[in-house]
Amino acid sequence: MLEYTVQAHRVDAHGSIAATKDAEITLDTDVKGRADAFNPAELLLAALAACMIKGIERVAPVNHFDYRGVEVRIRGKRQDSPPFMAEISYELIIDTDEDDRRLDLMHHNVQKYGTIFTTIAAATKLEGTISRKSG
């Protein structure tokens, strides 16, 4: 089994720092929020986006899938009581000339083999589409 470690600490009432390996990220832990950092819900959505992009990076060479770029647009809907991410929807947009069948196969691989994707899908409603970048 793989293991992951992250350390986080409070800097002050406005934010915190999380670190892993040689990387750090500022966290929005301010009760009033802050525009220059991801809050916990946004971090969850960013982790999902990173998982989807990394899945494409991993599968593309194996399946000889040619692409020029990837964009992920994600929306999360949070219910207040009890606090819960009730629904997540996404658009996965790939800049590619691959046909629809291969695009759908890529989507299937992202949905089936992404660690964060499958974890979130087991916990809440997760739906999305894949499409080819136009123009």
Side-chain angles (χ1 to χ4, degrees):
M1 293 183 89
L2 292 173
E3 282 190 31
Y4 304 92
T5 59
V6 172
Q7 302 81 36
H9 69 274
R10 179 182 186 267
V11 174
D12 56 29
H14 305 291
S16 301
I17 300 287
T20 187
K21 301 174 283 203
D22 293 330
E24 285 188 349
I25 187 169
T26 301
L27 307 175
D28 172 8
T29 53
D30 188 322
V31 181
K32 294 179 183 176
R34 57 187 281 184
D36 66 338
F38 285 75
N39 69 35
E42 293 160 341
L43 280 168
L44 177 71
L45 300 180
L48 177 59
C51 176
M52 295 168 77
I53 294 168
K54 188 168 186 167
I56 291 168
E57 295 286 349
R58 183 178 292 126
V59 170
V62 174
N63 289 347
H64 306 288
F65 185 94
D66 293 321
Y67 67 104
R68 293 171 290 278
V70 178
E71 180 180 346
V72 184
R73 299 175 187 163
I74 301 181
R75 285 196 174 100
K77 292 186 180 177
R78 178 188 178 273
Q79 79 178 26
D80 284 333
S81 185
F84 178 72
M85 192 63 76
E87 178 180 323
I88 297 173
S89 61
Y90 66 86
E91 295 175 73
L92 179 55
I93 303 158
I94 303 181
D95 187 1
T96 185
D97 296 323
E98 297 285 354
D99 64 32
D100 289 346
R101 182 187 62 78
R102 292 192 31 90
L103 199 61
D104 289 341
L105 177 61
M106 179 60 78
H107 194 203
H108 174 75
N109 283 317
V110 165
Q111 293 172 317
K112 188 172 182 180
Y113 298 110
T115 302
I116 304 306
F117 192 101
T118 58
T119 300
I120 291 173
T124 194
K125 181 179 177 185
L126 176 58
E127 294 180 336
T129 61
I130 191 168
S131 63
R132 187 176 296 98
K133 182 178 179 179
S134 58

